[in-house]
Amino acid sequence: MFPVSPFISTLDLILTHEQILSEHYSKAITQKVVSELIAQPKRIPEIIHLFQKKEQHLSVYAGWIISYLGENNPQLIKNHLSVIIQKLDEKENNSALIRNIFRTLQFVEIPQQYEGFVLTKGFDFLNNNSPVAVKVFAMTVIFNLSKKYPEITNELKLSLENQFEHASAGFKSRASKILKVLTT
């Protein structure tokens, strides 16, 4: 059994302890939590607190919730982006957490003071042996920033083209769309 987080008691209205402590979260449960957080934004710091936990399953789940918040209502996480972005620098993060961070960042305007850091991390994860979903979300974040900084488009194109031949279908699909825009 995992240690009980202080966050858990505050989510009793949404989820049972078993749902939160299990490592099998469903999209339906996640969307239920997101809906509750959109309705009660004062509770968002609770999910940010959970995101910062060292317990991987809790931080990953919180990251998944945050990514849906970012997709549905990016303004709600705007004040928490520094915490989300800084989590990219922690060595013990697993790929699911990194995937959720980059998924979140594709929906938001990244604060200027973090753009360089996010670009560096994005290229690091795009060009290493990260799982496909991490690469896909990282390339999207880099592409979004290339609209503001067109000087990075050549590096992005090279990264995508160098991996394209041996890449998965998911990588090729997203890379093709981005390359099409970058070459027109």
Side-chain angles (χ1 to χ4, degrees):
M1 185 60 91
F2 299 103
V4 176
S5 164
F7 175 77
I8 292 173
S9 62
T10 61
L11 278 184
D12 284 341
L13 297 174
I14 304 170
L15 303 174
T16 67
H17 289 310
E18 292 77 26
Q19 287 172 313
I20 293 169
L21 292 175
S22 79
E23 294 187 44
H24 305 289
Y25 308 110
S26 71
K27 187 174 182 180
I29 291 171
T30 301
Q31 289 174 329
K32 185 177 180 183
V33 174
V34 169
S35 295
E36 181 67 21
L37 291 170
I38 289 171
Q40 297 183 45
K42 68 182 184 300
R43 295 179 72 186
I44 292 173
E46 298 170 28
I47 202 73
I48 298 300
H49 175 73
L50 185 63
F51 176 74
Q52 293 176 289
K53 290 274 189 198
K54 295 294 182 201
E55 301 152 41
Q56 285 289 316
H57 76 285
L58 293 175
S59 61
V60 168
Y61 181 49
W64 194 22
I65 292 168
I66 291 166
S67 76
Y68 278 97
L69 275 172
E71 180 179 9
N72 292 299
N73 199 330
Q75 286 301 107
L76 291 179
I77 61 166
K78 181 178 156 185
N79 294 332
H80 305 285
L81 285 173
S82 64
V83 171
I84 295 165
I85 291 168
Q86 289 171 7
K87 191 85 169 163
L88 281 172
D89 213 20
E90 293 181 10
K91 303 287 185 242
E92 64 276 0
N93 290 337
N94 68 28
S95 61
L97 186 60
I98 299 299
R99 177 188 67 233
N100 287 329
I101 294 169
F102 278 115
R103 184 178 187 280
T104 302
L105 295 177
Q106 71 180 351
F107 300 117
V108 299
E109 184 176 331
I110 297 168
Q112 186 174 7
Q113 69 264 32
Y114 296 110
E115 290 171 339
F117 175 77
V118 169
L119 279 170
T120 299
K121 289 295 184 179
F123 276 113
D124 287 349
F125 285 104
L126 175 60
N127 292 321
N128 72 18
N129 60 353
S130 298
V132 174
V134 171
K135 288 178 177 263
V136 167
F137 292 131
M139 80 171 74
T140 303
V141 171
I142 296 166
F143 172 68
N144 291 344
L145 284 168
S146 76
K147 296 169 188 170
K148 186 174 180 180
Y149 301 104
E151 61 272 16
I152 66 171
T153 57
N154 284 337
E155 186 178 353
L156 178 56
K157 283 170 56 176
L158 272 172
S159 292
L160 299 179
E161 290 168 349
N162 287 339
Q163 297 179 59
F164 198 85
E165 183 180 343
H166 301 290
S168 70
F171 182 98
K172 286 180 178 180
S173 175
R174 183 75 55 97
S176 293
K177 292 172 186 168
I178 289 173
L179 287 168
K180 184 176 180 180
V181 173
L182 293 178
T183 56
T184 56

